[in-house]
Amino acid sequence: MSSLEPWERSSIRFMLNAKLDELHGQEFEDFFYDLMCARYPSFLDVRTHGNLGDRGSDGLLLSDGKLYACNGPQAVNPSRLKSKIATDVRKAIALRGGEFKTFVFVHNDRRGMLPAVSSALADARNAYPRLSFENFGHRSFYNELCRLERWQVEDLLGPFPAQPVVTGVVLADLIPLLDHLATYRQPVDEPPKVPRPSAEKMDYNNFSPDTKYRMRGALCYVHHVEAYYANRLDPNERDEVAKGFKAHYEIVAGIYEDPDDVLAELERHILGNAAQSPATALNALVILMYFFGECEIFKVPPDGWAPTTQMGVIT
């Protein structure tokens, strides 16, 4: 488990942005190789070799059966990119068909997945239903870096700031969602009753009464998050964000025993460690409660579980 401090994980976000902005082509591939070799002993960085090329792969993760294809151009041409993904998939299947179960497209666009990428991966999934297809972008780079030791991160990104810094910049991936909540979330006079699965999950995770009170207040607004993702053009965006939250939760839960501290760290993950307005802080908690209800974060009670004592008032 990584021993990084919270402020160091926040700093990685900005250090990574700067790194990806300057890396293209082979330098980007080399950075990806170095990261994955540091993370996984079973990762094979497949280099181009003479007339044989890379035989349809920029990397193989033997333990998970994943094949990686990198793309880090300085300028993106959507139609050319879509064609490249289709060609990479066909080449990988022809030359390494028995070596992998999942094809992973790796890119350096820190703004997220282009529609051309999601379309190409969806086409590939339909053409090869026995394979899985994944996207490896900015969120995945961040999640992998946060699982390294400090010296490994500094080898890849350079030295951390000399002291903890205020990182009050909102997580870029969630700015549109936070703006959506700021526009459409209207205060309610009296929150409705908490759905029993969520109430039991709060008890099972042993949140304090004060924290459960805040969580209950945020739960009544999660339908705004559901509406936001239902209307997004990229059907994979919600799953990519969920994967990022789940990965960060697993890191934080391995460091803090108190669930209140874990939740607070997840809030800092969204908003940074600078003070925010009450409305913005509530909107961040609404996002977390959406993923709480979707079972992406925190422990899920086993079937038939019931608290031995009433640990919180269900209202």
Side-chain angles (χ1 to χ4, degrees), residues 211-247:
T211 296
K212 284 193 283 190
Y213 181 84
R214 293 180 59 234
M215 296 170 76
R216 290 197 297 269
L219 266 173
C220 62
Y221 300 113
V222 297
H223 64 280
H224 291 296
V225 182
E226 294 169 351
Y228 172 84
Y229 282 125
N231 289 289
R232 299 297 286 174
L233 294 177
D234 181 359
N236 296 308
E237 179 177 345
R238 182 262 174 216
D239 291 343
E240 286 294 313
V241 174
K243 185 169 66 173
F245 270 122
K246 187 171 185 178

Side-chain angles (χ1 to χ4, degrees), residues 30-82:
D30 290 342
F31 175 71
F32 172 72
Y33 294 149
D34 292 341
L35 169 62
M36 296 298 284
C37 286
R39 272 286 290 133
Y40 301 100
S42 67
F43 180 79
L44 306 180
D45 50 337
V46 183
R47 313 279 177 163
T48 300
H49 180 70
N51 295 329
L52 295 177
D54 56 21
R55 291 180 54 81
S57 170
D58 291 318
L60 285 168
L61 184 57
L62 296 180
S63 58
D64 289 354
K66 292 185 176 183
L67 177 144
Y68 297 82
C70 292
N71 184 70
Q74 286 186 300
V76 176
N77 181 312
S79 61
R80 185 179 300 172
L81 178 59
K82 187 173 181 179

Side-chain angles (χ1 to χ4, degrees), residues 15 35 104 125 170 197 200 247 256 268:
M15 296 163 70
L35 169 62
V104 186
R125 178 198 59 203
V170 174
E200 290 179 352
Y256 300 100
R268 282 192 288 270

Side-chain angles (χ1 to χ4, degrees), residues 292-305:
F292 180 88
E294 294 288 302
C295 297
E296 304 289 355
I297 53 176
F298 291 100
K299 295 179 289 187
V300 178
D303 292 340
W305 178 86

